[in-house]
Short mmCIF file of all heavy atoms in Angstrom, two decimals:
data_model
loop_
_atom_site.label_atom_id
_atom_site.label_comp_id
_atom_site.label_asym_id
_atom_site.label_seq_id
_atom_site.Cartn_x
_atom_site.Cartn_y
_atom_site.Cartn_z
N MET X 4 24.72 -20.32 22.99
CA MET X 4 24.55 -21.55 22.20
C MET X 4 24.69 -21.30 20.71
O MET X 4 24.12 -20.40 20.23
CB MET X 4 23.29 -22.18 22.59
CG MET X 4 23.40 -23.46 23.21
SD MET X 4 21.88 -24.09 23.67
CE MET X 4 22.39 -25.75 23.71
N VAL X 5 25.35 -22.12 19.98
CA VAL X 5 25.60 -22.02 18.63
C VAL X 5 24.64 -23.18 17.94
O VAL X 5 24.50 -24.24 18.47
CB VAL X 5 27.01 -22.37 18.34
CG1 VAL X 5 27.16 -22.31 16.82
CG2 VAL X 5 27.90 -21.49 19.01
N PRO X 6 23.99 -22.82 16.84
CA PRO X 6 23.15 -23.76 16.09
C PRO X 6 23.99 -24.89 15.52
O PRO X 6 25.09 -24.75 15.10
CB PRO X 6 22.58 -22.99 14.94
CG PRO X 6 22.91 -21.49 15.29
CD PRO X 6 23.91 -21.51 16.34
N VAL X 7 23.37 -26.09 15.70
CA VAL X 7 24.19 -27.31 15.35
C VAL X 7 24.09 -27.37 13.76
O VAL X 7 25.17 -27.82 13.29
CB VAL X 7 23.35 -28.53 15.97
CG1 VAL X 7 24.18 -29.71 15.47
CG2 VAL X 7 23.56 -28.38 17.48
N LYS X 8 23.03 -27.07 13.21
CA LYS X 8 22.86 -27.28 11.68
C LYS X 8 22.63 -25.93 11.14
O LYS X 8 21.80 -25.07 11.64
CB LYS X 8 21.88 -28.27 11.27
CG LYS X 8 22.25 -29.63 11.66
CD LYS X 8 21.73 -30.65 10.77
CE LYS X 8 22.25 -31.99 11.14
NZ LYS X 8 22.31 -32.92 10.11
N LYS X 9 22.87 -25.73 9.86
CA LYS X 9 22.63 -24.52 9.15
C LYS X 9 21.11 -24.53 8.75
O LYS X 9 20.63 -25.54 8.40
CB LYS X 9 23.28 -24.53 7.85
CG LYS X 9 23.12 -23.37 6.92
CD LYS X 9 23.93 -23.44 5.61
CE LYS X 9 23.45 -22.38 4.68
NZ LYS X 9 24.26 -22.43 3.48
N THR X 10 20.39 -23.33 8.95
CA THR X 10 18.99 -23.36 8.54
C THR X 10 18.95 -23.12 7.00
O THR X 10 19.51 -22.25 6.43
CB THR X 10 18.37 -21.99 9.17
OG1 THR X 10 18.65 -22.20 10.61
CG2 THR X 10 16.91 -22.02 8.92
N SER X 11 18.23 -24.05 6.37
CA SER X 11 18.20 -24.01 4.94
C SER X 11 17.34 -22.77 4.33
O SER X 11 16.61 -22.11 5.16
CB SER X 11 17.49 -25.33 4.32
OG SER X 11 16.16 -25.27 4.71
N LYS X 12 17.58 -22.49 3.03
CA LYS X 12 16.97 -21.33 2.56
C LYS X 12 15.37 -21.58 2.55
O LYS X 12 14.63 -20.66 2.86
CB LYS X 12 17.26 -21.18 1.06
CG LYS X 12 18.67 -20.67 0.89
CD LYS X 12 18.99 -20.54 -0.58
CE LYS X 12 20.54 -20.37 -0.76
NZ LYS X 12 20.80 -20.40 -2.20
N CYS X 13 14.96 -22.88 2.32
CA CYS X 13 13.58 -23.15 2.29
C CYS X 13 12.86 -22.99 3.75
O CYS X 13 11.86 -22.22 3.80
CB CYS X 13 13.38 -24.58 1.96
SG CYS X 13 11.67 -25.18 1.85
N LYS X 14 13.47 -23.35 4.67
CA LYS X 14 13.01 -23.17 6.08
C LYS X 14 13.01 -21.70 6.48
O LYS X 14 12.12 -21.13 7.05
CB LYS X 14 14.01 -23.90 7.15
CG LYS X 14 13.41 -24.05 8.39
CD LYS X 14 12.16 -24.91 8.40
CE LYS X 14 11.68 -25.47 9.73
NZ LYS X 14 10.39 -26.03 9.73
N LYS X 15 14.04 -20.94 6.06
CA LYS X 15 14.09 -19.46 6.35
C LYS X 15 13.00 -18.70 5.72
O LYS X 15 12.35 -17.89 6.25
CB LYS X 15 15.42 -18.99 5.96
CG LYS X 15 15.77 -17.59 6.47
CD LYS X 15 17.28 -17.06 6.06
CE LYS X 15 18.05 -18.09 5.39
NZ LYS X 15 19.35 -17.67 4.92
N ARG X 16 12.80 -19.12 4.41
CA ARG X 16 11.65 -18.41 3.62
C ARG X 16 10.36 -18.74 4.10
O ARG X 16 9.45 -18.03 4.06
CB ARG X 16 11.91 -18.73 2.15
CG ARG X 16 13.14 -18.02 1.70
CD ARG X 16 13.51 -18.45 0.20
NE ARG X 16 14.79 -17.77 -0.07
CZ ARG X 16 15.47 -18.09 -1.23
NH1 ARG X 16 15.15 -19.09 -1.93
NH2 ARG X 16 16.63 -17.52 -1.52
N GLN X 17 10.16 -20.09 4.47
CA GLN X 17 8.80 -20.47 5.07
C GLN X 17 8.50 -19.58 6.31
O GLN X 17 7.41 -19.36 6.51
CB GLN X 17 8.82 -21.96 5.44
CG GLN X 17 8.63 -22.87 4.40
CD GLN X 17 8.71 -24.40 4.62
OE1 GLN X 17 9.01 -24.64 5.80
NE2 GLN X 17 8.39 -25.16 3.72
N ARG X 18 9.51 -19.38 7.10
CA ARG X 18 9.23 -18.76 8.41
C ARG X 18 8.79 -17.24 8.15
O ARG X 18 8.21 -16.68 8.86
CB ARG X 18 10.58 -18.72 9.26
CG ARG X 18 10.34 -18.23 10.56
CD ARG X 18 11.77 -18.42 11.38
NE ARG X 18 12.76 -17.54 10.94
CZ ARG X 18 13.90 -18.06 10.53
NH1 ARG X 18 14.20 -19.49 10.63
NH2 ARG X 18 15.01 -17.42 10.12
N ARG X 19 9.40 -16.71 7.01
CA ARG X 19 9.16 -15.25 6.74
C ARG X 19 7.96 -15.18 5.79
O ARG X 19 7.89 -14.08 5.24
CB ARG X 19 10.41 -14.77 6.23
CG ARG X 19 11.53 -14.68 7.28
CD ARG X 19 12.69 -14.08 6.74
NE ARG X 19 13.80 -14.03 7.64
CZ ARG X 19 15.10 -13.89 7.40
NH1 ARG X 19 15.44 -13.73 6.21
NH2 ARG X 19 16.04 -13.82 8.42
N SER X 20 7.26 -16.20 5.39
CA SER X 20 6.28 -16.23 4.34
C SER X 20 5.17 -15.22 4.76
O SER X 20 4.60 -14.51 3.85
CB SER X 20 5.57 -17.53 4.21
OG SER X 20 5.01 -17.96 5.31
N HIS X 21 4.78 -14.84 6.01
CA HIS X 21 3.82 -13.95 6.46
C HIS X 21 4.19 -12.59 6.25
O HIS X 21 3.40 -11.65 6.41
CB HIS X 21 3.30 -14.16 7.73
CG HIS X 21 4.34 -13.90 8.71
ND1 HIS X 21 5.38 -14.68 9.07
CD2 HIS X 21 4.47 -12.89 9.64
CE1 HIS X 21 6.06 -14.09 10.06
NE2 HIS X 21 5.52 -13.07 10.41
N LEU X 22 5.49 -12.19 6.00
CA LEU X 22 5.97 -10.94 5.85
C LEU X 22 5.85 -10.25 4.40
O LEU X 22 6.41 -9.25 4.13
CB LEU X 22 7.42 -10.78 6.29
CG LEU X 22 7.69 -11.20 7.78
CD1 LEU X 22 9.16 -11.17 8.06
CD2 LEU X 22 6.92 -10.21 8.61
N ALA X 23 5.23 -11.09 3.43
CA ALA X 23 5.21 -10.59 2.16
C ALA X 23 4.29 -9.41 2.07
O ALA X 23 3.34 -9.20 2.82
CB ALA X 23 4.54 -11.77 1.24
N ARG X 24 4.72 -8.52 1.15
CA ARG X 24 3.99 -7.19 0.90
C ARG X 24 2.71 -7.46 0.13
O ARG X 24 2.67 -8.32 -0.84
CB ARG X 24 4.90 -6.15 0.31
CG ARG X 24 6.04 -5.91 1.15
CD ARG X 24 6.74 -4.64 0.71
NE ARG X 24 5.85 -3.49 0.62
CZ ARG X 24 6.22 -2.39 0.24
NH1 ARG X 24 7.48 -2.14 -0.15
NH2 ARG X 24 5.38 -1.31 0.27
N THR X 25 1.63 -6.67 0.34
CA THR X 25 0.48 -6.80 -0.45
C THR X 25 0.22 -5.56 -1.16
O THR X 25 0.69 -4.41 -0.83
CB THR X 25 -0.77 -7.08 0.55
OG1 THR X 25 -0.86 -5.86 1.41
CG2 THR X 25 -0.67 -8.33 1.19
N PRO X 26 -0.34 -5.61 -2.43
CA PRO X 26 -0.46 -4.32 -3.22
C PRO X 26 -1.50 -3.46 -2.53
O PRO X 26 -2.35 -3.80 -1.80
CB PRO X 26 -1.16 -4.86 -4.45
CG PRO X 26 -1.64 -6.26 -4.35
CD PRO X 26 -0.98 -6.77 -3.06
N ALA X 27 -1.32 -2.09 -2.81
CA ALA X 27 -2.14 -1.14 -2.17
C ALA X 27 -3.65 -1.21 -2.66
O ALA X 27 -3.88 -1.64 -3.84
CB ALA X 27 -1.69 0.32 -2.64
N ASN X 28 -4.55 -1.06 -1.80
CA ASN X 28 -5.92 -1.11 -2.14
C ASN X 28 -6.42 0.24 -2.71
O ASN X 28 -6.44 1.24 -1.91
CB ASN X 28 -6.62 -1.41 -0.81
CG ASN X 28 -8.21 -1.65 -1.00
OD1 ASN X 28 -8.52 -1.93 -2.19
ND2 ASN X 28 -8.94 -1.58 -0.02
N LEU X 29 -6.77 0.23 -3.87
CA LEU X 29 -7.10 1.42 -4.57
C LEU X 29 -8.76 1.38 -4.87
O LEU X 29 -9.31 0.42 -5.14
CB LEU X 29 -6.39 1.73 -5.92
CG LEU X 29 -4.84 1.82 -5.77
CD1 LEU X 29 -4.20 1.92 -7.12
CD2 LEU X 29 -4.50 2.99 -4.98
N THR X 30 -9.25 2.60 -4.80
CA THR X 30 -10.65 2.83 -5.25
C THR X 30 -10.77 3.89 -6.27
O THR X 30 -9.86 4.63 -6.41
CB THR X 30 -11.58 3.28 -3.97
OG1 THR X 30 -11.02 4.39 -3.45
CG2 THR X 30 -11.44 2.16 -2.94
N ALA X 31 -11.86 3.81 -6.89
CA ALA X 31 -12.17 4.84 -7.99
C ALA X 31 -12.71 6.07 -7.30
O ALA X 31 -13.60 6.24 -6.41
CB ALA X 31 -13.08 4.43 -9.00
N CYS X 32 -12.11 7.28 -7.80
CA CYS X 32 -12.72 8.59 -7.30
C CYS X 32 -14.05 8.77 -7.81
O CYS X 32 -14.27 8.52 -9.04
CB CYS X 32 -11.73 9.67 -7.84
SG CYS X 32 -12.29 11.36 -7.45
N PRO X 33 -15.07 9.11 -7.01
CA PRO X 33 -16.32 9.44 -7.47
C PRO X 33 -16.57 10.52 -8.35
O PRO X 33 -17.46 10.54 -9.17
CB PRO X 33 -17.28 9.62 -6.24
CG PRO X 33 -16.31 10.01 -5.12
CD PRO X 33 -14.94 9.39 -5.53
N LYS X 34 -15.55 11.56 -8.41
CA LYS X 34 -15.72 12.68 -9.22
C LYS X 34 -15.17 12.47 -10.55
O LYS X 34 -15.73 12.87 -11.61
CB LYS X 34 -14.97 13.79 -8.45
CG LYS X 34 -15.45 15.22 -8.83
CD LYS X 34 -16.74 15.47 -8.10
CE LYS X 34 -16.95 16.97 -8.10
NZ LYS X 34 -18.31 17.30 -8.03
N CYS X 35 -13.86 11.92 -10.63
CA CYS X 35 -13.23 11.85 -11.94
C CYS X 35 -12.90 10.37 -12.26
O CYS X 35 -12.39 10.13 -13.45
CB CYS X 35 -11.91 12.54 -11.99
SG CYS X 35 -10.75 12.00 -10.58
N SER X 36 -13.23 9.45 -11.51
CA SER X 36 -12.99 7.93 -11.83
C SER X 36 -11.53 7.52 -11.86
O SER X 36 -11.24 6.47 -12.44
CB SER X 36 -13.69 7.62 -13.06
OG SER X 36 -15.12 7.81 -12.85
N LYS X 37 -10.68 8.41 -11.43
CA LYS X 37 -9.15 7.95 -11.33
C LYS X 37 -8.97 7.20 -10.06
O LYS X 37 -9.74 7.16 -9.16
CB LYS X 37 -8.20 9.26 -11.30
CG LYS X 37 -8.43 10.14 -12.59
CD LYS X 37 -7.42 9.74 -13.50
CE LYS X 37 -7.52 10.54 -14.79
NZ LYS X 37 -6.43 11.28 -15.19
N ALA X 38 -7.96 6.32 -10.12
CA ALA X 38 -7.47 5.50 -8.92
C ALA X 38 -7.07 6.37 -7.73
O ALA X 38 -6.20 7.23 -8.01
CB ALA X 38 -6.56 4.41 -9.35
N LYS X 39 -7.45 6.09 -6.62
CA LYS X 39 -6.99 6.78 -5.41
C LYS X 39 -7.00 5.95 -4.16
O LYS X 39 -7.57 4.86 -4.26
CB LYS X 39 -7.80 8.11 -5.20
CG LYS X 39 -9.28 7.80 -4.58
CD LYS X 39 -9.97 9.11 -4.28
CE LYS X 39 -11.12 8.93 -3.43
NZ LYS X 39 -10.93 8.56 -2.05
N LEU X 40 -6.36 6.34 -3.15
CA LEU X 40 -6.42 5.50 -1.84
C LEU X 40 -7.63 5.79 -1.17
O LEU X 40 -8.19 6.94 -1.14
CB LEU X 40 -5.22 5.90 -0.98
CG LEU X 40 -3.80 5.50 -1.43
CD1 LEU X 40 -2.76 6.09 -0.57
CD2 LEU X 40 -3.70 3.90 -1.34
N PRO X 41 -8.33 4.84 -0.62
CA PRO X 41 -9.47 5.06 0.22
C PRO X 41 -9.32 5.99 1.35
O PRO X 41 -8.29 5.97 2.02
CB PRO X 41 -9.89 3.71 0.59
CG PRO X 41 -8.71 2.77 0.50
CD PRO X 41 -7.86 3.57 -0.37
N HIS X 42 -10.20 6.86 1.67
CA HIS X 42 -10.24 7.82 2.72
C HIS X 42 -9.10 8.90 2.56
O HIS X 42 -8.68 9.38 3.44
CB HIS X 42 -10.08 7.19 4.08
CG HIS X 42 -11.00 6.14 4.38
ND1 HIS X 42 -12.35 6.26 4.74
CD2 HIS X 42 -10.90 4.68 4.46
CE1 HIS X 42 -12.94 5.16 4.91
NE2 HIS X 42 -12.13 4.29 4.70
N GLY X 43 -8.70 8.98 1.34
CA GLY X 43 -7.72 10.00 0.97
C GLY X 43 -8.14 10.93 -0.10
O GLY X 43 -9.19 10.73 -0.82
N ALA X 44 -7.46 11.97 -0.30
CA ALA X 44 -7.73 13.03 -1.50
C ALA X 44 -7.29 12.48 -2.77
O ALA X 44 -6.22 11.74 -2.84
CB ALA X 44 -7.13 14.37 -1.16
N CYS X 45 -8.13 12.65 -3.83
CA CYS X 45 -7.71 12.34 -5.25
C CYS X 45 -6.62 13.22 -5.73
O CYS X 45 -6.58 14.49 -5.52
CB CYS X 45 -8.92 12.44 -6.11
SG CYS X 45 -8.60 11.98 -7.77
N SER X 46 -5.58 12.66 -6.11
CA SER X 46 -4.47 13.37 -6.68
C SER X 46 -4.72 14.15 -7.90
O SER X 46 -3.93 15.20 -8.25
CB SER X 46 -3.22 12.56 -6.76
OG SER X 46 -3.44 11.54 -7.80
N SER X 47 -5.72 13.86 -8.68
CA SER X 47 -5.88 14.64 -9.85
C SER X 47 -7.04 15.72 -9.75
O SER X 47 -6.86 16.72 -10.36
CB SER X 47 -6.39 13.58 -10.96
OG SER X 47 -7.62 12.93 -10.61
N CYS X 48 -8.02 15.59 -8.90
CA CYS X 48 -9.14 16.49 -8.84
C CYS X 48 -9.05 17.14 -7.40
O CYS X 48 -9.61 18.18 -7.15
CB CYS X 48 -10.43 15.97 -9.19
SG CYS X 48 -11.01 14.73 -8.10
N GLY X 49 -8.53 16.47 -6.35
CA GLY X 49 -8.46 17.09 -5.03
C GLY X 49 -9.70 16.82 -4.03
O GLY X 49 -9.83 17.40 -3.08
N TYR X 50 -10.61 16.01 -4.55
CA TYR X 50 -11.91 15.68 -3.87
C TYR X 50 -11.76 14.57 -2.89
O TYR X 50 -10.97 13.61 -3.22
CB TYR X 50 -13.09 15.53 -4.81
CG TYR X 50 -13.59 16.92 -5.40
CD1 TYR X 50 -13.01 17.50 -6.41
CD2 TYR X 50 -14.77 17.31 -4.88
CE1 TYR X 50 -13.56 18.68 -6.85
CE2 TYR X 50 -15.20 18.51 -5.31
CZ TYR X 50 -14.63 19.11 -6.37
OH TYR X 50 -15.08 20.38 -6.83
N VAL X 51 -12.38 14.65 -1.75
CA VAL X 51 -12.59 13.55 -0.77
C VAL X 51 -13.97 13.39 -0.51
O VAL X 51 -14.64 14.40 0.03
CB VAL X 51 -11.72 13.82 0.55
CG1 VAL X 51 -11.99 12.68 1.52
CG2 VAL X 51 -10.25 14.10 0.21
N SER X 52 -14.67 12.30 -0.81
CA SER X 52 -16.15 11.94 -0.71
C SER X 52 -17.01 13.24 -1.07
O SER X 52 -17.85 13.50 -0.15
CB SER X 52 -16.20 11.55 0.77
OG SER X 52 -15.98 12.68 1.74
N GLY X 53 -16.81 13.60 -2.26
CA GLY X 53 -17.58 14.80 -2.83
C GLY X 53 -17.34 16.05 -2.48
O GLY X 53 -17.87 17.19 -2.99
N LYS X 54 -16.36 16.43 -1.58
CA LYS X 54 -16.21 17.75 -1.05
C LYS X 54 -14.68 18.15 -1.50
O LYS X 54 -13.78 17.24 -1.51
CB LYS X 54 -16.22 17.93 0.34
CG LYS X 54 -17.54 17.61 1.01
CD LYS X 54 -17.57 17.88 2.41
CE LYS X 54 -18.67 17.12 3.10
NZ LYS X 54 -18.45 16.85 4.46
N LEU X 55 -14.46 19.29 -1.94
CA LEU X 55 -13.03 19.72 -2.36
C LEU X 55 -12.35 19.93 -1.13
O LEU X 55 -12.62 20.79 -0.22
CB LEU X 55 -13.10 21.06 -3.20
CG LEU X 55 -11.82 21.57 -3.68
CD1 LEU X 55 -11.23 20.56 -4.72
CD2 LEU X 55 -11.94 22.91 -4.25
N MET X 56 -11.25 19.27 -0.95
CA MET X 56 -10.24 19.30 0.25
C MET X 56 -9.00 19.86 -0.18
O MET X 56 -8.43 20.58 0.69
CB MET X 56 -10.16 18.03 0.96
CG MET X 56 -11.43 17.47 1.43
SD MET X 56 -11.90 18.44 2.84
CE MET X 56 -13.51 17.72 3.17
N LEU X 57 -8.43 19.61 -1.30
CA LEU X 57 -7.12 20.06 -1.69
C LEU X 57 -7.22 21.06 -2.92
O LEU X 57 -7.87 20.67 -3.83
CB LEU X 57 -6.28 18.87 -2.25
CG LEU X 57 -5.76 17.94 -1.20
CD1 LEU X 57 -5.01 16.85 -1.89
CD2 LEU X 57 -4.76 18.64 -0.15
N ALA X 58 -6.67 22.21 -2.58
CA ALA X 58 -6.59 23.12 -3.79
C ALA X 58 -5.39 22.91 -4.60
O ALA X 58 -4.25 23.08 -4.13
CB ALA X 58 -6.61 24.61 -3.21
N LEU X 59 -5.46 22.25 -5.67
CA LEU X 59 -4.44 21.78 -6.45
C LEU X 59 -3.90 23.12 -7.46
O LEU X 59 -4.54 23.87 -7.75
CB LEU X 59 -4.80 20.68 -7.46
CG LEU X 59 -5.15 19.35 -6.80
CD1 LEU X 59 -5.76 18.34 -7.82
CD2 LEU X 59 -4.05 18.87 -6.13
N PRO X 60 -2.53 23.25 -7.63
CA PRO X 60 -2.07 24.24 -8.40
C PRO X 60 -2.61 24.19 -9.81
O PRO X 60 -2.70 23.18 -10.42
CB PRO X 60 -0.54 24.09 -8.33
CG PRO X 60 -0.21 22.67 -7.93
CD PRO X 60 -1.58 22.19 -7.18
N GLY X 61 -2.92 25.42 -10.30
CA GLY X 61 -3.51 25.55 -11.70
C GLY X 61 -4.94 25.49 -11.60
O GLY X 61 -5.56 25.54 -12.82
N GLU X 62 -5.65 25.31 -10.55
CA GLU X 62 -7.12 25.25 -10.52
C GLU X 62 -7.69 26.47 -9.90
O GLU X 62 -7.11 26.93 -8.97
CB GLU X 62 -7.69 23.97 -9.64
CG GLU X 62 -7.85 22.80 -10.46
CD GLU X 62 -8.52 21.77 -9.65
OE1 GLU X 62 -9.21 22.10 -8.76
OE2 GLU X 62 -8.31 20.57 -9.95
N GLU X 63 -8.58 26.94 -10.61
CA GLU X 63 -9.37 28.19 -10.00
C GLU X 63 -10.58 27.85 -9.52
O GLU X 63 -11.26 26.98 -10.02
CB GLU X 63 -9.47 29.33 -11.09
CG GLU X 63 -8.13 29.68 -11.87
CD GLU X 63 -7.18 30.47 -10.93
OE1 GLU X 63 -7.86 31.28 -10.00
OE2 GLU X 63 -6.12 30.36 -10.94
N GLY X 64 -11.09 28.44 -8.29
CA GLY X 64 -12.43 28.24 -7.86
C GLY X 64 -12.39 27.49 -6.55
O GLY X 64 -13.14 27.04 -5.93
#
């Protein structure tokens, strides 16, 4: 079956309104206070919830 009338831009965009992207939820790192993803390692210090998880290059210890 072929549609009888063209779907307008407004109708098409209303139908897809729930597909809009949302910004990433960022939290502050408790160690260095930089923005990081929750439940993930900090990219600047390598800590996750107070414990060192990532050995970043250039860091000793």
Side-chain angles (χ1 to χ4, degrees):
M4 239 177 155
V5 179
V7 177
K8 294 207 173 212
K9 176 182 174 182
T10 305
S11 67
K12 290 178 190 175
C13 180
K14 193 68 173 172
K15 194 178 349 179
R16 290 171 183 168
Q17 280 179 355
R18 187 176 66 238
R19 296 178 182 164
S20 65
H21 69 283
L22 298 177
R24 295 191 64 181
T25 56
N28 185 22
L29 298 176
T30 58
C32 175
K34 206 74 161 159
C35 65
S36 302
K37 299 265 177 134
K39 69 175 195 78
L40 290 172
H42 308 287
C45 180
S46 60
S47 62
C48 66
Y50 279 79
V51 178
S52 66
K54 298 179 204 162
L55 182 63
M56 295 292 173
L57 286 177
L59 298 175
E62 271 191 25
E63 301 292 323

